[in-house]
Amino acid sequence: MIAAPPLTLRHHDAAGMHELRDLLIAVYTEVYADLLSDPFFSPERYWQRLESYAKWPGFALVTGWLGDDLIGYTLGYTLPKGSAWWRGFQGDVPPGALEEDGKRTFAVTQLMVLPVHQRRGYAGQLHDALLADRPEERATLLVKPDNVPARTAYLSWGWQRFGRLQPFNDAPVYDSLMIELDRA
């Protein structure tokens, strides 16, 4: 087996995300090519979501590069006090599990790698770089139940199914996953 070329990881804030807009959308449109006819997955709607996420405290973006080529990225933000993130949640959880105080939960909103570069460990590197040294006690993310490769990867990285969630009326119903973060 030939080793994958080393990935260069770069950390960005909201301004950096805006500077990379065209490259981020290009990766998104290739990764989500089969879903782009659904208005929820349109590049315009996707960018609106990214702009919304970038306004929240704790926003972080990690990009992965092979030479000068962006091959993947991940991003997220700290859920604010009273966050609407859990709107549309389906499942039984302990009291208070869905209450946010502005410091408790980091939401991973995207993790993607171009198809030609998948299954080489790059997603895991991006994931680990995004969550390293986060001050929150836990992280959450959403994954489509039929996205077996992504779901399998998350579970192998320690994520656990928390319930199901439909974040917007026109969005799919996702599996909601949760992981405790190492705050040592």
Side-chain angles (χ1 to χ4, degrees):
M1 179 175 179
I2 298 172
L7 191 63
T8 300
L9 299 171
R10 298 182 187 151
H11 296 261
H12 310 272
D13 58 12
M17 181 195 82
H18 283 91
E19 291 171 8
L20 293 169
R21 180 188 188 280
D22 292 344
L23 291 173
L24 297 174
I25 296 230
V27 170
Y28 173 81
T29 57
E30 188 168 337
V31 170
Y32 285 86
D34 294 344
L35 298 173
L36 297 178
S37 63
D38 179 332
F40 180 78
F41 291 99
S42 74
E44 297 79 16
R45 181 91 182 269
Y46 173 69
W47 186 252
Q48 289 172 352
R49 287 192 296 273
L50 291 192
E51 287 184 311
S52 174
Y53 305 150
K55 293 176 184 175
W56 292 109
F59 175 81
L61 166 66
V62 177
T63 55
W65 302 80
L66 291 177
D68 293 332
D69 297 324
L70 176 65
I71 63 101
Y73 60 93
T74 185
L75 59 100
Y77 66 96
T78 307
L79 294 180
K81 183 175 182 166
S83 173
W85 175 272
W86 300 111
R87 177 188 57 227
F89 183 81
Q90 305 164 10
D92 294 321
V93 295
L98 305 180
E99 294 174 17
E100 296 300 335
D101 63 6
K103 302 180 282 190
R104 180 183 194 186
T105 308
F106 183 75
V108 178
T109 58
Q110 293 296 326
L111 173 59
M112 65 183 79
V113 174
L114 290 172
V116 70
H117 296 290
Q118 292 176 357
R119 293 174 182 75
R120 296 181 185 178
Y122 296 140
Q125 291 176 49
L126 288 162
H127 168 272
D128 292 351
L130 181 67
L131 295 181
D133 303 319
R134 293 295 320 172
E136 299 84 4
E137 66 185 62
R138 66 185 191 176
T140 189
L141 60 77
L142 303 177
V143 63
K144 290 180 74 180
D146 62 352
N147 187 343
V148 175
R151 201 169 185 284
T152 301
Y154 292 131
L155 295 175
S156 76
W157 298 336
W159 291 81
Q160 296 180 351
R161 190 170 183 274
F162 188 62
R164 300 196 90 183
L165 193 139
Q166 184 177 14
F168 305 99
N169 291 338
D170 62 343
V173 175
Y174 293 92
D175 277 343
S176 174
L177 304 183
M178 187 78 69
I179 192 170
E180 297 297 315
L181 296 177
D182 181 12
R183 295 171 42 172

